[in-house]
């Protein structure tokens, strides 16, 4: 049984589209408690903390009826966009989103997604989850943006989509038409590297 420790709808859709069985339980970890300047390491640490927070509280969580005890994997992910050495999370408002896109137009940046799998066995009687392995990795993809006119940026920002996405864009949404190409894992840009997950679940 796989638990996605995230409220992300894009990660949920990725798993559903690939027919990977899972249940989704949002992690309540406060991301602001982590202070890490290295963007690559920050994404990895946040992914671990999200998965670990769910692991530590799993005995107190109301699990769905379809939950199967026994072998269990908890998946935590966190995505951060890096542009010229600066971390771009979700824009705080439309003005910030517009200004970011003015800078990103015709340029490229890196989407870093930290992945953590906490693997173990969950005993149905004792309700104790024993960890057997923890697998962690940050997967990075280079994203190239189209040259955009100001009116195009404004129209995109007015959709509000950039306000809900790391880096201010959604590859699977309206923003997809503004991305010229991707070097690296495609699904990673949407918040979860499916090849990485398949390899580690299979192993």
């Amino acid at each position: 049984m796989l638990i996605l420790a995230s409220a992300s709808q894009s990660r949920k859709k990725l798993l559903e589209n690939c027919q990977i069985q899972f249940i989704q339980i949002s992690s309540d970890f406060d991301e602001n408690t982590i202070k890490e300047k290295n963007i690559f390491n920050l994404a990895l640490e946040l992914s671990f903390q999200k998965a670990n927070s769910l692991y530590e509280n799993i005995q107190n969580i109301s699990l769905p009826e379809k939950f199967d005890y026994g072998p269990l994997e908890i998946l935590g992910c966190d995505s951060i966009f890096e542009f010229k050495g600066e971390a771009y999370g979700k824009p705080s408002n439309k003005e910030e989103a517009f200004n970011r896109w003015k800078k990103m137009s015709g340029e490229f940046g890196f989407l870093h997604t930290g992945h953590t799998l906490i693997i173990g066995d969950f005993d149905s009687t004792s309700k104790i989850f024993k960890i057997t392995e923890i697998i962690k990795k940050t997967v990075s993809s280079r994203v190239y943006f189209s040259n955009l006119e100001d009116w195009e940026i404004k129209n995109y920002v007015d959709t509000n989509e950039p306000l809900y996405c790391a880096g201010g864009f959604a590859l699977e949404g309206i923003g997809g038409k503004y991305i010229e190409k991707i070097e690296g894992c495609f699904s990673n840009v949407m918040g979860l590297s499916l090849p990485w997950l398949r390899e580690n679940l299979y192993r």
Side-chain angles (χ1 to χ4, degrees):
M1 173 66 73
L2 174 67
I3 297 179
L4 173 63
S6 168
S8 168
Q9 290 302 303
S10 60
R11 294 186 183 109
K12 178 184 178 182
K13 289 179 181 177
L14 282 171
L15 292 173
E16 288 175 341
N17 290 342
C18 290
Q19 298 182 339
I20 297 175
Q21 293 190 345
F22 71 102
I23 58 174
Q24 186 174 26
I25 302 175
S26 178
S27 172
D28 60 358
F29 178 72
D30 182 4
E31 298 182 20
N32 295 319
T33 60
I34 301 298
K35 307 299 179 184
E36 168 63 63
K37 292 183 179 180
N38 184 288
I39 299 171
F40 190 88
N41 294 338
L42 176 60
L44 189 61
E45 180 63 19
L46 288 173
S47 75
F48 170 74
Q49 293 297 340
K50 288 179 179 180
N52 191 60
S53 176
L54 197 146
Y55 154 70
E56 290 180 341
N57 294 293
I58 198 163
Q59 289 177 307
N60 304 317
I61 294 172
S62 179
L63 298 168
E65 292 183 4
K66 67 176 183 178
F67 183 82
D68 293 326
Y69 287 90
L72 179 66
E73 305 88 28
I74 299 175
L75 173 64
C77 297
D78 192 85
S79 297
I80 303 174
F81 184 68
E82 178 186 356
F83 183 71
K84 295 185 177 180
E86 185 178 352
Y88 279 6
K90 297 174 183 177
S92 56
N93 53 51
K94 287 185 177 181
E95 182 181 3
E96 184 178 9
F98 181 87
N99 290 335
R100 283 189 186 179
W101 267 98
K102 283 277 288 182
K103 295 177 183 177
M104 297 190 308
S105 175
E107 298 285 346
F108 68 85
F110 297 90
L111 199 293
H112 305 292
T113 299
H115 298 71
T116 295
L117 265 179
I118 296 179
I119 301 171
D121 290 292
F122 197 8
D123 187 87
S124 60
T125 304
S126 65
K127 301 293 177 66
I128 293 176
F129 179 29
K130 294 183 179 179
I131 296 175
T132 56
E133 187 177 7
I134 297 177
I135 306 171
K136 298 191 293 183
K137 185 176 182 180
T138 297
V139 180
S140 301
S141 304
R142 185 183 296 212
V143 183
Y144 292 82
F145 300 100
S146 304
N147 278 298
L148 302 179
E149 302 289 342
D150 284 1
W151 65 266
E152 290 181 286
I153 297 174
K154 184 180 184 303
N155 285 349
Y156 180 44
V157 170
D158 282 343
T159 68
N160 287 325
E161 181 181 87
L163 303 182
Y164 302 100
C165 308
F169 66 93
L171 174 63
E172 71 278 19
I174 302 165
K177 62 179 177 283
Y178 304 128
I179 296 173
E180 291 283 325
K181 67 176 181 177
I182 293 168
E183 292 178 358
C185 178
F186 183 85
S187 63
N188 185 62
V189 183
M190 293 183 275
L192 169 58
S193 173
L194 291 170
W196 180 90
L197 181 63
R198 182 201 65 81
E199 178 183 344
N200 286 288
L201 286 179
Y202 182 76
R203 183 168 64 84

